Amino acid sequence: MEIDAWLWWLIGAAGLGLGLVITAMPELGMLAVGAIAASVTAGIFGGDAVFQVVVFAVVSTALIAVVRPIANRHRAQRPQLATGVEALKGRQAVVLERVDGSGGRIKLAGEVWSARSLDAGRTFEAGQEVDVVDIEGATAIVM
C-alpha cells in the first residue's frame, strides 16, 4: 500500500508540532505550518514533489521572517512586573522601633520587618517615614 504525499507532510507536521511542545521553540511551529501548507498542496492541488517543497520553504520562511520580529518586539515591550522582595524596594515604610546601623523594626507593606539604616551613623525614630533601598535576607535597608 502506497502512502500519499499529503499524508507524509501531515506526519512531518505532527513531528514538528511534537518537537515544538518538547523544546518550546516557536520556529518548529512555523515549520509545522509550512508542512501543513505542503500537505494541502499535495492533497488538493496534487502538485509534484518540487512544488510541495517550494510551498513548504516559502510558507515556513515567510512565517519565520514575519512572526519572529513581531514576537521579539512584543516581548521587549512587555512591562516587567516586580514581585517578591523586588516589589518592596523603593517603597516607603514607617519606623516602629528605632532604626540605626545595627537594627530596628519597620512596618512595610502591612508587615513588620527587621530594618537597618543604610548610613550606619543615621538614626530614625518611631513614627518617621523611611524609604526602603534594598532587602538583604529578611532585613530591609532604609534611608
Side-chain angles (χ1 to χ4, degrees), residues 5-6 8-14 16 29-41 52 55-57 59-60:
W6 67 269
W8 283 115
W9 283 110
L10 221 52
I11 292 168
L16 288 166
M30 295 174 215
L31 291 172
V33 172
I36 290 171
S39 175
V40 168
T41 300
Q52 294 168 24
V55 167
F56 169 74
V59 170
S60 298

Side-chain angles (χ1 to χ4, degrees), residues 12-23:
L16 288 166
L18 182 62
L20 167 67
V21 171
I22 292 171
T23 65

Side-chain angles (χ1 to χ4, degrees), residues 27-102:
E27 291 83 3
L28 291 177
M30 295 174 215
L31 291 172
V33 172
I36 290 171
S39 175
V40 168
T41 300
I44 294 177
F45 303 114
D48 65 344
V50 172
F51 185 62
Q52 294 168 24
V53 171
V54 168
V55 167
F56 169 74
V58 168
V59 170
S60 298
T61 303
L63 283 171
I64 290 172
V66 172
V67 174
R68 199 169 185 212
I70 293 170
N72 287 339
R73 189 169 48 246
H74 181 65
R75 187 178 344 185
Q77 291 175 350
R78 191 175 349 162
Q80 296 294 326
L81 298 175
T83 59
V85 295
E86 292 298 319
L88 299 175
K89 294 179 183 178
R91 294 192 58 180
Q92 287 192 328
V94 177
V95 176
L96 298 176
E97 297 174 10
R98 181 181 177 174
V99 175
D100 56 22
S102 60

